[in-house]
Amino acid sequence: VLIPFSPQSAEVSNFSPKVSLDLHPLDDVLVYLSWQRGFKSATYNIVNVYTQPDYVKPEQVTAYELGLKSTLLGGSLRFNTAIFQTDIDDLQTSSVSLLSGGAVNFENAGQARIRGVEFDVTLLPMPELNPGLVMLASASWLDAKYTDYTDGNGFDETTGLNFESRDFSGNKIARTPDFSGTFSLSQTLETAVGPLEIGGDYYYNDGFFFLPQNSPVSKEPAYAVINARVSWLYEPWNTRVTVFGNNLGDERYNLQQFHTDFGRADTLAPPRIYGLRLDWEF
C-alpha cells in the first residue's frame, strides 16, 4: 500500500412526492398547478490517484408549475404552455483536473434556481381545404442561475492554474440557454402510390456556458440548425423511404466541451449531411 485511504460509507434515503391540482373549465381545456420533489443520489469522487475519495451530497429538486393544455378550433389547434420555477439544493456539478491526480470530479453547488416559461403549438391552418398541412412551434425562456455557489473549483485559462473556493453565485447554470425554440412545417400529399410528406424544421439556441465559472472560453455562441426531408410511405409493406438533409446551413457548433489543465477539447456537431433512410414496421 503506497497511499492508505480510510474506508467511507454513506446511507441515503429520499421521499419525492408530487401533488397536482387539475381544473377543466372547458371540455378540451386543462389548467393545472403542481408541486413535486426530485432527487439525484449521492456519490463519491473515487478516481483520485493521490487524495482520499470525497463524498458528494445528494441533489434535491423542488419544482412548481402552473400550466395550460388545450385543444381548440375543433381539434385543429393544440396549445400548451407553462410557467415554472425549479429550486435545486446541492446541485451536483463537475470539473476536470489531470494534474491534481483525478479525472472527472464532482462537487456540490449550494443552491440554484431555474425560472422559465415554455409553450408548444400544433396547428392545422387549413383543416378543410388542406388537412395535410401541419405547423408546429415551441419555445422556452429560462432564467437559470446559481444562487449560492461560494466554493467552486475550476481551471483558470488566464493563469494556467487550477483554482478552488471561487464564488460562482449569480452565474448562469451550465448548459442552460436563455432562449431556445423550434419551428416545423410539413405537407402530406395523398398520391396513387401512397402518402408523400415534405417537411422542414428550424432550431435556434441563443447560446450558453459549458462551465459554471462562465469563462469566455467555455461560451457556446448562438446557433441555428435547418433540416429538411421528403418521405414516401408504401402502405402495403408499411415501409417508408426518406431522403433528408440535416444542418443544411452547415452551422458549426459544439455538442460538448471538455476542459482540462491542458486546454479545451471540442466535440463538434455533425456538419451538413444528406442521406437516405429506410423504415420498415412489422
Side-chain angles (χ1 to χ4, degrees):
V1 178
L2 299 178
I3 305 174
F5 296 147
S6 60
Q8 295 191 49
S9 65
E11 182 176 334
V12 178
S13 61
N14 175 259
F15 175 59
S16 296
K18 178 179 179 179
V19 179
S20 179
L21 176 64
D22 295 351
L23 176 65
H24 291 269
L26 299 171
D27 290 340
D28 295 327
V29 176
L30 166 67
V31 179
Y32 66 91
L33 177 65
S34 68
W35 173 92
Q36 60 182 314
R37 298 292 299 271
F39 172 78
K40 182 187 291 184
S41 183
T43 187
Y44 282 93
N45 286 316
I46 60 173
V47 194
N48 293 326
V49 179
Y50 310 115
T51 60
Q52 171 81 22
D54 56 301
Y55 179 64
V56 183
K57 294 184 287 186
E59 176 181 310
Q60 300 190 50
V61 177
T62 304
Y64 313 85
E65 184 171 337
L66 174 63
L68 169 73
K69 296 182 180 295
S70 63
T71 302
L72 307 171
L73 302 180
S76 61
L77 171 64
R78 179 175 297 170
F79 176 75
N80 304 320
T81 186
I83 58 175
F84 55 89
Q85 176 168 316
T86 302
D87 297 322
I88 310 172
D89 293 322
D90 295 319
L91 173 65
Q92 294 177 5
T93 64
S94 62
S95 61
V96 179
S97 176
L98 302 179
L99 292 179
S100 64
V104 178
N105 286 282
F106 293 95
E107 64 184 18
N108 293 109
Q111 291 181 324
R113 186 205 67 216
I114 302 174
R115 290 174 177 165
V117 179
E118 62 184 10
F119 79 89
D120 64 85
V121 176
T122 302
L123 174 65
L124 306 178
M126 295 182 288
E128 300 296 333
L129 296 176
N130 187 2
L133 180 61
V134 181
M135 300 172 59
L136 299 96
S138 65
S140 66
W141 292 264
L142 299 176
D143 176 21
K145 63 177 62 178
Y146 301 103
T147 54
D148 180 14
Y149 195 175
T150 57
D151 197 21
N153 299 323
F155 173 68
D156 191 336
E157 61 275 2
T158 60
T159 63
L161 301 173
N162 293 304
F163 60 78
E164 296 180 354
S165 301
R166 185 170 291 186
D167 191 355
F168 294 158
S169 301
N171 286 4
K172 294 181 179 295
I173 297 178
R175 301 179 180 85
T176 53
D178 291 338
F179 173 80
S180 61
T182 61
F183 177 78
S184 299
L185 184 66
S186 66
Q187 173 69 64
T188 300
L189 303 172
E190 295 295 335
T191 71
V193 292
L196 180 70
E197 181 190 4
I198 304 170
D201 55 76
Y202 172 86
Y203 172 75
Y204 176 79
N205 186 308
D206 75 346
F208 52 88
F209 291 98
F210 277 104
L211 295 178
Q213 64 200 63
N214 289 185
S215 55
V217 73
S218 72
K219 172 70 173 178
E220 180 65 34
Y223 62 91
V225 178
I226 300 174
N227 303 321
R229 66 192 180 278
V230 178
S231 68
W232 167 59
L233 176 63
Y234 184 61
E235 293 177 312
W237 293 356
N238 206 21
T239 301
R240 182 180 297 274
V241 180
T242 303
V243 178
F244 65 89
N246 292 338
N247 193 9
L248 295 178
D250 204 21
E251 187 82 349
R252 187 181 181 92
Y253 63 100
N254 293 315
L255 290 178
Q256 184 58 272
Q257 287 183 4
F258 188 70
H259 293 258
T260 72
D261 317 68
F262 298 99
R264 189 187 91 182
D266 295 343
T267 301
L268 291 176
R272 183 188 295 116
I273 294 177
Y274 301 104
L276 176 67
R277 183 170 58 245
L278 177 66
D279 300 298
W280 177 37
E281 296 185 8
F282 58 93

